[in-house]
Structure formats: C-alpha cells, structure tokens
Amino acid sequence: MSRGRAWTQALADGAVGHVVPSVITADVTLGDDVARLAAVVPDPDSPYHRARTGEVGLREGLGLAEAVTGVITQDARLPDHRRRPIVAIVDVPSQAYGRVEELLGLHHALAAAVDAYASARTAGHPVITLIVGTALSGGLLAHGYQANQILALKDPGVVIHAMHKPAAARVTRRTVDELDELARHIPPLSYDVTDWAKLGLCDELLDVENAADPTGRDVRKTKDALTAAVERARHGPRDLSNRLTSPGARRTRTASRRVHEALAAQWQ
Amino acid sequence: MTPSATPDWTALLARTSFIELDARARATAVLDDGTARELCGPFDRIESPWLEPQDVVPESDDGVVVVKGRLDGRAAVVIAIEQAFQGGGIGEVSGVKIATALSLAARDSRDGTPTAAVLLLETGGVRLQEANLGLATVAEVCSAVLELRALQPVIGVIAGALGCFGGMSIAAGLCTTLIMTREGRLGLDGPQVIESEAGVAEFDASDHTLIWSINGGTQRTGTGLADVLVLDDVTAMRSAVIEAVGRGVPGEHRSARIGELRARLEAVDPAAPPEPAGLAAVWADAVPPKGDGR
C-alpha cells in the first residue's frame, strides 16, 4: 500500500472516498474541526499509462482541484473560523512525464490544482500539508506547496526535491556521488528531509515509529500536530509570507530576505 | 481581436524582432517610452549565494529583470527572465524577485494605484543548482500571481526562443492572459526530460515538428491554453499587451474553469488521443455540463 493511502486510512474517521480513482479523500477530526484529507495514490488501471504509480497527471490535477474547490463551495457561507481545514497528504513520485499529458496541457491541470489550494488558503481554510513519502517537483507544486503550514515525517523515505537524483545528476552533468558530496554543504541540494527543514519551509518535523504503516501512537501524535498546525494557520497570514519570516528562513534564506527588503525600498 | 499571426510580408519586412532582444530590452520595449525604471538591478549586486560554491559564475541580477514604468499611461511592472543565464532557471533570488514584485503591485492596487504586471517567461523552470529553494520560490511566484490577478491583470508572454517549461509553466497557466508567438513553446515537462524519463517512443526530443505541434504557440492558442498569438514584432507585442491589460480582470480565470477542464479530459481517450492538429476540434465539441459554474 502506498504511504499516501496508508496515512489517509490511518487518520480518517470513517470511510475513504475518491474524486477520481487516484485522488482519495476522507474526514478527520482535529480538535473542534473536521478536516478534509486529500491524497494522490497509485491507480494501476489508469488509462494514462504515465500516471499509474502515484504521479500527479491530468486526472490528478483535476481531481485535486475538484476536491478542494468542493470544500470551498460547501463552506462559502460559514464564518471564517468555521471554514474547514484541508490537509494535503503528500506522497507523489513526480508529475506525469508523458506525451498525451503535454498535448492536453498538464501544466494547466496542475495550475487548476494550485489555484484551488491557494484559493482555499486565501478564503480562510487552514491548508496544511503532511509529507509522508516522496514529494518531487511539479507533483509537490500541485499538491502541497500552497499550504499555510507544512509538516513532514522525519524518515529516510521522505524525499523532497526538484528532481529525482539520477535525473538531477544527468541534467547538471554530475555523478550521483558528486551530487551527494555537494549536498553535504549546500542545503537546498540535499535529499535529506532534515536539511530541507533548515530552509525555513518546514513548520514541524515529526518523529514516528513506522512511516510506512503508522502505529496507533503515530496517528495520535500526528493528529495532535495537525491540530496545532490548524490553530497556527488560523492565526497566521493567509499568504506565504511566513516562509520568509520563519526561524529557518531567517538563518538560511538571507538572500531572499535581502531581495524582499531591497525591492520594497526601491518600489516607490 | 487577436492580432494576425499570418506571416504578412509587409509586416514581416517592417518588423523589429522581439525574440532577438535580451530580457532587459524586452522589458523596456513593452513599456511606454522613457518610463522604465529598473529595480534591484545589476548594481545592487544581489547574487545567488548558492552558485559560486558549485563553480557557477553568478550574475548580479540573477537573471531576472524587474522594470517599473507605465503601460499606455497606467502603472505597470514588467518582469523578464533572461534565458541566456542558466537557461532561465529560477533560483532563490530570481524567484523571490518575481514574487515580491507581484506582491508589491498587488499592495499598490489595493492601496488605490492599480498596477498591472507583465511576465516575460523564457524559462526552463526550477534552477537545479538551487533545487529545493528554486522549487519553493516557484510556489511563491504562483501564489503571488494569484494574489495580483484578483486585482489587476497579470499578462504572461512566451515569445521564444527557449519557451516556458517546468514549474513556471504552472505560473503561466495562472496568468490572466497568455500571449505567445508561433516560435514560443509552453509545456510542463520539456521534450528532453520526457525522452530521458520515458524513452524516445514516448517523446522524440529531436522531432521539432512534433514538439511545436504540441507545445508551440499556434497549437496552444488554437486549443485555448493560451489566448493571443502575435507576430514576433516589438510593436505587435506591445499592442497585444496593452490590449490584454485593457480587458481588465475577467469574472472567471482559465485555471478556475474546472468544469471545462473535466469536459475536455472526458472528450479524449488517452489510449487513442487525437493528432495535435485535431485537438482544437475535439475540444470545441467538449462543452462543460450545464449549470457548472466552476
């Protein structure tokens, strides 16, 4: 079972449903809230052969957009503090690499998902990301990177990156060993989740007993962490400015902060 | 009206190529004469801190040019990506420059000075030398496009010769209006990436006719994934941008038309997809379900 499905099932209060076969949703009680979970999972029968092992492809972009927009529409008349949290459970090997995908405009399907998540966030839904497996490239942009708060499991199976390692080595004309060596002193290049957390993008790293098949204790701990993240999101900014003001960003993203200040000063 | 993209000979002979200009010249050419003012320019020397340790020579604008000025008399900011530096790759500094400029335009728009933005998108996507910070800033760029486009038009331009790929193609998909030339290309995964991930049978990256039939400006505008096709000409480009800004903020943006996306995907059998040239006709018949306002 994929980690995305395992965590969705473990966290869910009841049945797990789906929007399309590869996008599953469920509800989970977090404190006083009932949050909506969404995950992309493998669909070995997908008619899109390049999107059968959990990649974010055309159907997944559409399915995520529908799942998230559905919550926004249903809660549109509720006061801000009652708008449901949305939790993106992330375990995506990448986006789908395929010709049909490009023909039909994969970038557009992913833009629809990004639009939906960002719209939920700005409408006052706490959007929380929980990274439980791989979170690569366009897959993460479409599903996870528009969140107010990002949590990740501290586990070797959690890999967050712009491109998987052999391809990144090929494109930058390096060997995998050279890439690993560089990553030791250049944090954004690292495939290690604790290095990624130093970039200022991570709101909490969770130590769990079994990242592939969560134990009862793991589930309780994660629910507590998600509940706290929802609380922080409700009181935090609705844009992504916290990614430049977090403690990690203050240490690592000094260039980002300098650009931000200089541009603002020269703007008028 | 969409400016004609037919190679009219008089126009061709009289034109000044937009594509042949570098990012700074493109940005200036879009704005009203004498109004362009560059922000965080090369002399501010804010370089990427991640390149030198990898033996890559940084540039002191990090490959993104931010120019504030007036467009047909209105306040505007033009943000141009320089394809000649690191393949237009978006890193920490370049990404934050784009996102911050868009957010400042949004702030001004909220405060009573409506400020539109024009994004000149020649980029391969995330700069792999900055991997995770590049990816994160592309997410921030997407968020900032969405923030501004609710208030003022954000016009994306993909002129050529590099095209717009990777995560930045998602940002392109969020623009209010997308302007392309025949020479421009738009797609998530570049042909070489697909060939290397999935094999030459999936995508032959040496087949230029195939590439442009799928990613090219004519195809993308013909199928509604981009809006305006223009000739590679400075005057035509500037007119198209001014016209797009003049149309204002639409009631519903392309990336929010989920019902249309669903109808279009349902109209195609992925096991037997239409030829690229036939896609526009297939999609013209794909009407979203009635009452689906999404």
Side-chain angles (χ1 to χ4, degrees):
Chain A
M1 193 193 302
S2 79
R3 285 186 173 196
R5 188 179 284 279
W7 277 90
T8 306
Q9 285 182 359
L11 289 168
D13 290 339
V16 173
H18 57 80
V19 198
V20 296
S22 50
V23 176
I24 58 173
T25 57
D27 287 334
V28 56
T29 303
L30 300 174
D32 297 332
D33 286 300
V34 176
R36 176 63 48 89
L37 303 170
V40 176
V41 296
D43 171 19
D45 300 322
S46 174
Y48 294 93
H49 73 277
R50 298 292 305 159
R52 286 181 179 159
T53 55
E55 296 87 355
V56 181
L58 293 160
R59 286 218 293 190
E60 293 71 28
L62 170 65
L64 289 168
E66 290 189 322
V68 173
T69 308
V71 175
I72 302 173
T73 309
Q74 286 160 19
D75 289 5
R77 291 188 185 166
L78 295 179
D80 279 13
H81 68 278
R82 299 253 332 268
R83 295 208 174 137
R84 263 178 294 172
I86 297 169
V87 180
I89 298 191
V90 179
D91 174 26
V92 288
S94 61
Q95 67 276 23
Y97 296 100
R99 182 160 74 173
V100 179
E101 278 79 4
E102 290 306 315
L103 174 68
L104 303 184
L106 180 57
H107 71 280
H108 170 59
L110 268 50
V114 168
D115 186 344
Y117 273 117
S119 299
R121 167 165 52 74
T122 48
H125 294 269
V127 178
I128 316 295
T129 286
L130 174 65
I131 305 178
V132 299
T134 51
L136 289 189
S137 196
L140 178 59
L141 287 176
H143 180 53
Y145 248 0
Q146 287 300 324
N148 304 80
Q149 292 276 312
I150 306 181
L151 316 183
L153 305 185
K154 192 176 172 186
D155 176 78
V158 172
V159 177
I160 302 157
H161 219 268
M163 198 178 255
H164 64 84
K165 212 186 269 184
R170 207 162 48 229
V171 173
T172 55
R173 295 167 198 221
R174 293 165 174 150
T175 64
V176 167
D177 286 345
E178 285 167 346
L179 214 57
D180 285 338
E181 177 54 36
L182 279 172
R184 265 193 270 281
H185 52 272
I186 303 176
L189 284 184
S190 174
Y191 285 77
D192 185 310
V193 67
T194 52
D195 286 333
W196 169 81
K198 290 176 194 156
L199 303 176
L201 305 161
C202 182
D203 296 286
E204 190 175 352
L205 270 183
L206 296 170
D207 252 317
V208 292
E209 291 167 353
N210 192 338
D213 183 14
T215 65
R217 205 158 22 179
D218 291 341
V219 171
R220 281 191 298 278
K221 181 177 190 174
T222 305
K223 281 185 184 175
D224 288 345
L226 289 171
T227 308
V230 166
E231 195 57 26
R232 290 196 297 273
R234 286 215 195 271
H235 295 101
R238 289 186 185 182
D239 58 20
L240 299 182
S241 55
N242 56 338
R243 299 205 187 156
L244 284 183
T245 54
S246 66
R250 285 177 191 282
R251 281 191 302 274
T252 313
R253 294 188 66 180
T254 50
S256 298
R257 293 170 56 82
R258 223 183 124 205
V259 172
H260 190 81
E261 282 163 24
L263 207 48
Q266 294 175 26
W267 183 258
Q268 286 318 326
Chain B
M1 285 297 291
T2 300
S4 169
T6 324
D8 166 330
W9 288 111
T10 0
L12 270 179
L13 290 171
R15 82 202 162 105
T16 306
S17 170
F18 188 74
I19 296 175
E20 286 169 16
L21 304 177
D22 66 11
R24 190 160 283 110
R26 286 185 190 194
T28 310
V30 167
L31 288 165
D32 298 352
D33 281 346
T35 67
R37 178 169 67 91
E38 184 169 353
L39 310 180
C40 271
F43 298 107
D44 287 289
R45 303 204 181 284
I46 307 183
E47 298 173 349
S48 162
W50 310 106
L51 297 178
E52 245 172 27
Q54 298 179 60
D55 297 326
V56 177
V57 179
E59 285 200 356
S60 43
D61 60 13
D62 203 40
V64 163
V65 178
V66 176
V67 183
K68 213 167 164 247
R70 305 201 77 83
L71 186 65
D72 202 26
R74 310 176 201 201
V77 62
V78 184
I79 302 160
I81 302 171
E82 178 50 63
Q83 59 187 336
F85 182 60
Q86 293 292 310
I90 300 301
E92 179 187 7
V93 167
S94 41
V96 173
K97 272 175 99 169
I98 301 172
T100 305
L102 291 167
S103 289
L104 289 167
R107 189 193 67 187
D108 277 6
S109 300
R110 278 190 296 268
D111 291 350
T113 308
T115 304
V118 183
L119 293 172
L120 306 182
L121 299 164
E122 297 298 330
T123 165
V126 173
R127 186 186 292 165
L128 283 179
Q129 284 81 1
E130 305 187 28
N132 267 334
L133 276 181
L135 191 65
T137 59
V138 169
E140 292 161 16
V141 167
C142 288
S143 177
V145 170
L146 289 165
E147 181 189 357
L148 178 57
R149 86 169 188 191
L151 307 160
Q152 281 292 304
V154 179
I155 313 302
V157 173
I158 304 169
L162 181 62
C164 179
F165 290 100
M168 289 302 286
S169 71
I170 300 175
L174 298 171
C175 287
T176 313
T177 301
L178 203 48
I179 298 171
M180 294 183 73
T181 67
R182 287 189 329 145
E183 290 81 4
R185 293 179 298 160
L186 167 65
L188 189 76
D189 295 310
Q192 274 163 342
V193 178
I194 300 176
E195 184 185 302
S196 120
E197 291 289 331
V200 71
E202 184 69 33
F203 212 126
D204 180 352
S206 69
D207 187 342
H208 288 200
T209 308
L210 171 71
I211 294 169
W212 262 268
S213 76
I214 290 175
N215 296 125
T218 308
Q219 172 74 1
R220 292 311 196 192
T221 48
T223 53
L225 290 169
D227 306 283
V228 184
L229 188 67
V230 295
L231 188 71
D232 170 28
D233 174 64
V234 167
T235 310
M237 183 60 79
R238 185 172 133 81
S239 305
V241 169
I242 289 171
E243 198 178 304
V245 170
R247 280 195 293 270
V249 177
E252 194 177 41
H253 290 87
R254 176 176 19 243
S255 62
R257 299 200 299 261
I258 300 174
E260 179 186 282
L261 172 59
R262 190 196 318 124
R264 285 173 157 213
L265 292 185
E266 283 172 358
V268 172
D269 174 5
E275 287 300 311
L279 182 61
V282 172
W283 277 1
D285 293 334
V287 182
K290 269 215 159 70
D292 183 349
R294 285 184 289 161

